[in-house]
Structure formats: structure tokens, C-alpha cells
Amino acid sequence: MRPEDLVRDHTVYSCVTGSRAFGLATADSDTDRRGVFLAPTALFWRFEKPPTHVEGPGEERFGWELERFCELALRANPNVLECLHSPLVEHADATGRELLALRGAFLSRRAHTSFTRYATGQRRKLDADVRTHGAPRWKHAMHLLRLLASAGDLLRTGTLTVDVGDLRERLLEVKRGEVPWPEVESWMARLAARADEALATSPLPEEPDLRRVEDFLVRTRRASALGAA
């Protein structure tokens, strides 16, 4: 079975992510689509296993196989969690709806480590741009601020909100390069400190609900196998 056929015929969940989901879209913004496909269980019985992810079909589209998606979500991967919490859902079958109902099971204080690690990597790239070119890539600076704000909000409230809400205009000013870099740096530092402070009293559990997610995955694989029998 071709990878594109897995996406076309076996997608259980798909959504729009990126700037459109964040509430930061402008006239020239792309439409980024992400999804989850369920590879038929029978494909795993072969020596050549189905792919863990597929790019496409089409531009700006990416999909994960269900098990890989769950693994990354349990690790609090920011991109995967944001996909799962996108306000712009385009498709969800019965399995997809059950996956959405499990969103809370994936959330834990692991988010602090994963979001911070991702933010640190992005900050290094911005600093390198400043050293080399005298200015950061402003779009990347905007998204780092958005990520830090999202992390702090998640740790403080226990809920992941993807849309930036009232921060939209200020973040777009950063994207346009209208905010001096020292001011952006100061904002990043404040957001990172707030996320660190929120960790101690966060309503999130220490670990995600692995048993609940695994039960969902096993039942889904079993149903797929029985359907192919």
C-alpha cells in the first residue's frame, strides 16, 4: 500500500495547524494541514512495516500513523499537542473522535521540559541570526514568543489553548520587525520565567495517562485486525 493511499483511505483525524490555527494568519499565510492515519493492522504482520509518517499528498500536508502520533503526544511534543488541540478540525471519524476525547490523557508536566527544550533550540537559532545578520528572523521570533506564552498558559491552567487571542496584534508587530530585539528578548525572558514558576503549582499530573492511551491503541488495532479477517 502506497503511503499516499494510507493518508487518503485511512485518515482518522485531520486539522489545520500553523498560523491559521494560532489566529496569526495574514493574507500571504499558507494553510498547513496535519493528520493522523490508522495503518491496517495486517500491514504490521509483514517484514516491511507501514511508515510512521507521510509527507503529503499535496503541499503543506503531513500525517502521522496513530501509534507514532500517540508516542509523540505522550512525550508532550509541542507540534503534536497543538495538532491535537487545533480549533480547525477538518475531519474526525469514530476513531478520530475518540482520539480527541483523549486529549487530556496526553497532558502532563512533561510539557515544561519538551516546550522549554524546543524553545531553547529556537532561541539559539535566533541568536545566531542576530550575530550573523544583525537581526533575527522576525517570523521565527514571533512563533517562539507564541510557544512560550502557550507553555506558561498550559502549565498554569492545565488546558492547551492554541489561538493566541489578545496577543495577536502584538505578535504580528514582532513578525513585521516593529519591536526592537532587546524588547523581544525581555518579553521572551518574562514568558520563560512565568512558565518555570507555573510548574510548581501546575494542575497537570506528573505523567500522562499511558494506560488509557495504550488501551485505546490496542482496541483500535484489534478492531482493525478483526475487520480484515
Side-chain angles (χ1 to χ4, degrees), residues 67-88:
E67 183 173 343
R68 178 58 174 166
F69 184 86
C70 289
E71 289 175 345
L72 292 172
L74 287 167
R75 296 177 196 169
N77 178 285
N79 291 323
V80 169
L81 289 182
E82 288 169 352
C83 172
L84 193 56
H85 290 260
S86 171
L88 303 178

Side-chain angles (χ1 to χ4, degrees), residues 11-14 36 38 66 69 84 89-104 106 212 216 219-220:
T11 290
V12 300
Y13 170 71
S14 62
V36 181
L38 174 64
L66 178 63
F69 184 86
L84 193 56
V89 175
E90 293 191 319
H91 168 75
D93 66 6
T95 301
R97 291 191 295 273
E98 187 171 359
L99 177 64
L100 288 174
L102 280 173
R103 283 184 292 196
F106 294 103
R212 188 177 166 202
F216 160 68
R219 286 188 290 102
T220 303

